[in-house]
Amino acid sequence: MEINGLPLHPLVVHAAVVFGSLAAVAALGYVALPRRRVLLRWPMLALALIGVGSIVAAYYSGNSFFSSRPPEIRANPQVLSHQHLARQLFWITLGFGVVAIATGWLSRRTGVLRVMLDVLLALGAVAVLVWVVRTGDAGARAVWG
């Protein structure tokens, strides 16, 4: 996949890093600031959807980009490490997205369900942040050495 002759993946990963991280930070804010939840609910949901969408787009464009490379590049251990982390990030992000939507949908609930959703949302947000950094770093090392 290309846009104006440029591979789509290097363009899309910037959105994935920015919006994936913003979604995670918004979710952490939603959990950490319970008195501000009414104000943070819709921004958190919007950023979660945009973040998940951009990471999914980066994942699929990365698979397409990988398939178009010569065999010696596809066998590079750094590229394979990046691909492995990207696959993990893909699934972590999908789980985070589901929990974020459930948390937003059930925002008025209290009790054990509220606590469970908050814990899952916070854990998912931290995991997304960590894997975005790890995946991006592995990709940068694969390209720049």
Side-chain angles (χ1 to χ4, degrees), residues 91-112:
W91 291 109
I92 289 167
T93 301
L94 289 180
F96 168 75
V98 168
V99 172
I101 290 169
T103 301
W105 184 269
L106 301 171
S107 64
R108 298 191 192 277
R109 296 290 175 105
T110 59
V112 175

Side-chain angles (χ1 to χ4, degrees), residues 1-93:
M1 289 184 263
E2 294 181 353
I3 293 180
N4 202 21
L6 294 172
L8 184 61
H9 184 65
L11 301 172
V12 172
V13 295
H14 293 90
V17 169
V18 170
F19 289 113
S21 299
L22 282 174
V25 170
L28 289 172
Y30 182 86
V31 171
L33 304 168
R35 292 181 185 190
R36 302 276 188 232
R37 285 193 178 157
V38 171
L39 295 173
L40 294 174
R41 177 181 174 208
W42 291 110
M44 183 270 297
L45 281 170
L47 285 168
L49 291 173
I50 294 167
V52 169
S54 62
I55 289 172
V56 168
Y59 176 77
Y60 283 114
S61 67
N63 283 339
S64 175
F65 187 58
F66 180 77
S67 299
S68 69
R69 299 295 99 190
E72 59 271 7
I73 291 176
R74 290 194 308 240
N76 181 323
Q78 290 176 317
V79 172
L80 294 173
S81 172
H82 174 63
Q83 185 183 36
H84 177 71
L85 288 168
R87 188 176 303 114
Q88 292 173 347
L89 175 59
F90 175 79
W91 291 109
I92 289 167
T93 301

Side-chain angles (χ1 to χ4, degrees), residues 20-22 24-25 28 89 92 124-134:
S21 299
L22 282 174
V25 170
L28 289 172
L89 175 59
I92 289 167
V126 169
V128 166
L129 280 174
V130 168
W131 259 262
V132 162
V133 170
R134 291 181 68 206

